[in-house]
Amino acid sequence: MSQGAVGDPSIHLDELFTEFHAGSLRLRNRFAMAPMTRMQSPGGIPNAENVEYYRAHAAGGAGLIITEGTYVRGPAAGPAAAVPRFYDDDSAAGWRAVVEAVHAEGAAIVPQLWHTGVTRGESSEFEPEVPSVSPSGVDHTGQPVGQALTSGDLDTLVGSYVESAVLAKQLGFDGIELHGAHGYLLDEFFWAATNHRQDEYGGTLRRRAAFPARLVAAVREAVGPDFTIIFRYSQWKGTDYNARIAETPGELEELLTPLVEAGVDIFHTSQRRHWLPEFTEHADDLSLAGWTKKITGLPVITVGSVGVDSVFRGDRIDETQAQRFRVLHEQFERGEFDIVAVGRALLADPEWVNKVHDGRLSDITPFR
């Protein structure tokens, strides 16, 4: 039992310091380090600084480390050359050192596999000679950017994700996370604003989910039945915080069901405010994480302004930390999530989880 729960009756997080198991994933507690882009890997290769960064957060108490987004092999995976890649021998050697350091501190680790799609834009530092690609060759406003993915391009992309997933398993990672959120490539298939396709991958929500589901199925076949696949998705986009893919629980079920059938083990629901209800006109007052778990029956990672005093790229939060910990506890008790991901708070203080466990909230270095 955590000393914090004993010493301060306003903090009820003991249950989050219990173990969690799902497939190949074995966690000592329910706290995950959220993926945060750093662009600190020169030439796309993880170096000694990257190893120490992840080791320190594992030593700080997090049960699961989700790496920053890592590029799969193209076409046109992203704009920045210093984002780490997840293919080729040099990058593999760097990631092997990261895995070994994190495991030595008792934490599990998964890489987040990432393709930025149309958000890469038309002026890229990384592979500038290659045009950006997306489901329909348009951005969220409908303006042409780059090229629409052909059938052959989609085959190549599936192969790229499979290549990286297999490499993760070979390097000793505990699973993978597929980035299907925030308006990046896989999310661009979900979102009607960026998916105007007339083939089997466009139209209804279920059809728009078909290519990401195809990709999940291919990864599942390649890594086997027990290697954990996490899928991160969101309603909001980096270009539009008010965007929504699903307006009702029924629409959300239409979106998620193909991914479940394809082999997703855990959903990671990206929210800017973990405590807000997702469908305000519905009687069930559940967050996006809660609805995801109710619909799919699968474990869920929640995230969204945990441990900080302002919403991600937004206004300050009025509630005290103790009040918000109480809400987090209540959501866990209601079964809305299984793991909570923490981002900015861990960026400011790698020891955040240990300090929460010990009730040393006054010792936490706050995020500014």
Side-chain angles (χ1 to χ4, degrees), residues 221-238:
E221 182 178 6
V223 299
D226 299 324
F227 195 63
T228 301
I229 299 175
I230 304 169
F231 195 97
R232 193 180 210 207
Y233 83 98
S234 67
Q235 297 266 40
W236 67 274
K237 319 300 171 197

Side-chain angles (χ1 to χ4, degrees), residues 48-94:
E49 187 275 337
N50 300 157
V51 173
E52 175 56 23
Y53 169 78
Y54 287 115
R55 186 211 63 78
H57 286 88
L64 172 63
I65 303 294
I66 307 173
T67 75
E68 63 206 282
T70 69
Y71 290 160
V72 297
R73 196 185 298 273
V83 166
R85 291 155 219 171
F86 214 88
Y87 54 88
D88 288 342
D89 292 345
D90 290 343
S91 292

